[in-house]
Amino acid sequence: MIYFVEDDASIRELVLYTLNNAGFQAEGFERPSAFWAAMGQIRPTLILLDIMLPEEDGLSILRKLRGEPTTQSIPVMMLTAKGTEYDTVLALDAGADDYVQKPFRMMELLSRIRALLRRAERYGNPVEPGEYQTGGLEVSPSRHLVRVDGKEIALTLKEFELLRLLLENKGIVLSRDKILDKVWGDTMGRESRTVDVHIRTLRQKLGHVGGLIETVRGIGYKFKGED
């Protein structure tokens, strides 16, 4: 089930029509109050959120979702007005897994949704047993678990994927384009700033361990780690 919160009826109806015809189950909400009521009944597998909404803006909704253990791992894609880089950065800072700028093409939206759902399913049913321990950091992909000094840290899907990618390539410099390819896949309209914002929030959440993620000027990032 995909939930879509959008107060513009024409956009909401078009997206719901497209999603349902593409084989998804989708439900739309004009107001956040209706969305929250539905969340109390059925938890979706993915949420599409507009930023500008009546009653409560999309960023506020996103922060609440990320603040609750029962909803913090649900993939969330934000819809932002084209050219409003500030809103995009705020959305990524708040824990959005992806974003699409308005006006968007429906095929692009479908592609991004499929990619995000594939990644969410992959981490819900992991096949790789590798675990990582370094510098007070513990990461278990099989349990989607991250701890720093024994304290569990809540990461979004993209933050978790990013951290694991860095750990898998410890000591190797990864370019922003490489990170985009591995974490965000073949989605269109990607920006290197997306990586920078996620690195910043990841460092903040990891506390002192975040300092092990090194910036390599003009290239990208690497995880220094401690053996």
Side-chain angles (χ1 to χ4, degrees), residues 2-211:
I2 296 175
Y3 282 172
F4 180 32
V5 190
E6 167 64 67
D7 62 322
D8 186 314
S10 59
I11 296 177
R12 189 174 65 253
E13 290 169 7
L14 175 60
V15 171
L16 291 176
Y17 175 82
T18 302
L19 289 174
N20 284 304
N21 275 273
F24 295 106
Q25 283 186 296
E27 186 173 351
F29 307 94
E30 179 181 4
R31 294 182 174 274
S33 55
F35 163 76
W36 287 119
M39 286 291 292
Q41 300 297 318
I42 299 176
R43 293 289 162 81
T45 54
L46 184 143
I47 298 170
L48 298 175
L49 268 180
D50 187 26
I51 287 185
M52 299 300 294
L53 293 166
E55 299 180 344
E56 180 180 14
D57 66 67
L59 291 174
S60 173
I61 294 174
L62 176 62
R63 292 187 182 101
K64 289 180 180 178
L65 291 169
R66 292 304 184 226
E68 289 294 327
T70 57
T71 60
Q72 64 186 13
S73 62
I74 297 176
V76 177
M77 183 180 297
M78 303 296 292
L79 306 184
T80 66
K82 188 173 180 61
T84 55
E85 181 181 6
Y86 179 71
D87 282 344
T88 299
V89 171
L90 284 179
L92 293 173
D93 274 340
D97 294 293
D98 201 357
Y99 65 92
V100 177
Q101 291 183 337
K102 294 181 179 180
F104 50 81
R105 292 172 290 178
M106 294 309 303
M107 293 307 296
E108 176 187 354
L109 180 65
L110 284 174
S111 175
R112 290 194 179 211
I113 287 173
R114 289 190 179 106
L116 195 50
L117 286 173
R118 282 196 302 270
R119 294 174 187 279
E121 182 178 0
R122 174 184 175 189
Y123 285 100
N125 301 279
V127 295
E128 296 152 308
E131 300 198 359
Y132 306 90
Q133 293 187 3
T134 180
L137 173 68
E138 301 173 53
V139 177
S140 172
S142 63
R143 292 176 291 163
H144 203 282
L145 178 68
V146 177
R147 290 195 182 103
V148 173
D149 297 334
K151 179 181 179 181
E152 189 168 340
I153 306 298
L155 299 183
T156 67
L157 177 64
K158 293 300 184 187
E159 289 166 353
F160 188 89
E161 288 183 301
L162 176 56
L163 177 58
R164 190 170 82 158
L165 178 65
L166 291 168
L167 286 168
E168 287 175 344
N169 296 275
K170 187 167 65 172
I172 299 172
V173 179
L174 299 176
S175 69
R176 289 176 175 82
D177 285 342
K178 179 78 169 181
I179 294 172
L180 283 169
D181 287 339
K182 292 294 186 180
V183 178
W184 278 266
D186 57 352
T187 54
M188 302 171 63
R190 304 174 310 174
E191 299 177 8
S192 61
R193 177 174 289 275
T194 301
V195 176
D196 297 335
V197 171
H198 277 74
I199 288 287
R200 183 170 70 247
T201 57
L202 184 57
R203 282 170 169 161
Q204 291 171 349
K205 289 185 178 182
L206 295 179
H208 72 89
V209 175

